[in-house]
Amino acid sequence: MNTAPDAQLERWQRFRANRNRALAAPHGWLTLTSFQWLETRPAGVELVPGLWSTDGTTAALTASAEDGLTLVDTGEPVDGTVTAALLDEESLMWVQFGGAGGSQVVVELAMRAGKYAIRTRDAGSPVFMEFGGVPAFDYRPDLVVEASFRPYPEPVDVPISTANPLVDGVHRSVGELVFRLPGKDHEFHLQAEEEKLGALTVTFHDETNGDSTDDWRKVSTARPRPDGSVVLDFNRAINYPSAFTPYGTCPMPVKNNSLDYRIEAGEKDPMLTD
């Protein structure tokens, strides 16, 4: 049996509590109820009033005050036509409606793969209402490993698939994390992306996928030390939003980010029950 020092275990427990709290935030990922592409001609969409369209560079919404739509930023009613423009991969919590306060459903405008889409975020979603925390493996101190970050001379953009087959993605690989795992003689190499303040994120497959975990997960690290060393804690492996909802456009791992190992640490598949 693996045991962890009390302080190490407590830090992980705080991490888990903060993670569950973040997922339970109003209009977060657990509230997604649709993903719909916008057409070039004004047309109705599912679950939302008004007429929606795009000319390729701008999205437009036409509605009357009776539709009950208001702008999220200002609370101003939509009575006529409003427009918004985004860059690829950007999102905007644009309009809201419904419920006692008029904000039960928030409509997110998104630009994905060069096309405009909307996603509805409904605070009454059953996934959100019934959420009681993400199931996770017990803490595994042996799956907190030292890794070496080997940066590439320049970032490399690698085409990838996403959770939505109609949306292609790009993984900007900045280097590799190289490490060993208990019971294995060979080194593992995972391509990493850089996040804020130099932190790294790796998206990976492992041999638990499909039985106890979702099809892929991700884990983040702190910024590497000056010597390139970094702690890779698989107890902090988390699910992408696509594990909770079919309306995510989450990136899949790059081709070689697959581990011939059962990473029995971090989050489990939320759709599976013990």
Side-chain angles (χ1 to χ4, degrees), residues 144-157:
V144 182
V145 299
E146 284 283 334
S148 175
F149 177 57
R150 300 179 184 175
Y152 297 148
E154 296 290 338
V156 177
D157 287 341

Side-chain angles (χ1 to χ4, degrees), residues 16-176:
R16 292 296 328 143
N18 289 336
R19 164 71 171 161
N20 286 325
R21 191 177 302 115
L23 281 171
H27 300 114
W29 292 116
L30 301 185
T31 64
L32 291 182
T33 53
S34 75
F35 180 97
Q36 304 173 72
W37 298 109
L38 298 188
E39 304 293 339
T40 54
R41 298 183 63 179
V45 298
E46 295 182 3
L47 307 179
V48 188
L51 299 176
W52 300 74
S53 64
T54 176
D55 62 5
T57 59
T58 302
L61 162 63
T62 301
S64 65
E66 290 73 23
D67 289 320
L69 291 163
T70 61
L71 296 172
V72 171
D73 283 348
T74 65
E76 180 183 354
V78 178
D79 190 8
T81 299
V82 292
T83 61
L86 301 176
L87 298 175
D88 201 31
E89 295 303 314
E90 285 187 337
S91 293
L92 170 67
M93 299 302 179
W94 197 14
V95 296
Q96 60 193 355
F97 69 97
S103 60
Q104 177 177 320
V105 180
V106 168
V107 184
E108 171 195 3
L109 180 68
M111 172 73 88
R112 297 292 182 270
K115 298 186 295 184
Y116 278 102
I118 60 168
R119 285 194 288 211
T120 47
R121 295 174 178 251
D122 188 343
S125 162
V127 174
F128 176 67
M129 298 294 288
E130 297 168 9
F131 179 66
V134 187
F137 291 99
D138 291 338
Y139 189 81
R140 287 278 300 273
D142 59 325
L143 290 178
V144 182
V145 299
E146 284 283 334
S148 175
F149 177 57
R150 300 179 184 175
Y152 297 148
E154 296 290 338
V156 177
D157 287 341
V158 182
I160 57 171
S161 299
T162 74
N164 186 322
L166 300 179
V167 178
D168 294 327
V170 174
H171 184 284
R172 173 154 286 192
S173 298
V174 296
E176 295 181 351

Side-chain angles (χ1 to χ4, degrees), residues 211-227:
D211 60 58
S212 54
T213 64
D214 193 43
D215 291 340
W216 66 90
R217 294 178 290 169
K218 68 176 178 178
V219 62
S220 298
T221 76
R223 181 174 184 170
R225 305 178 185 107
D227 64 356

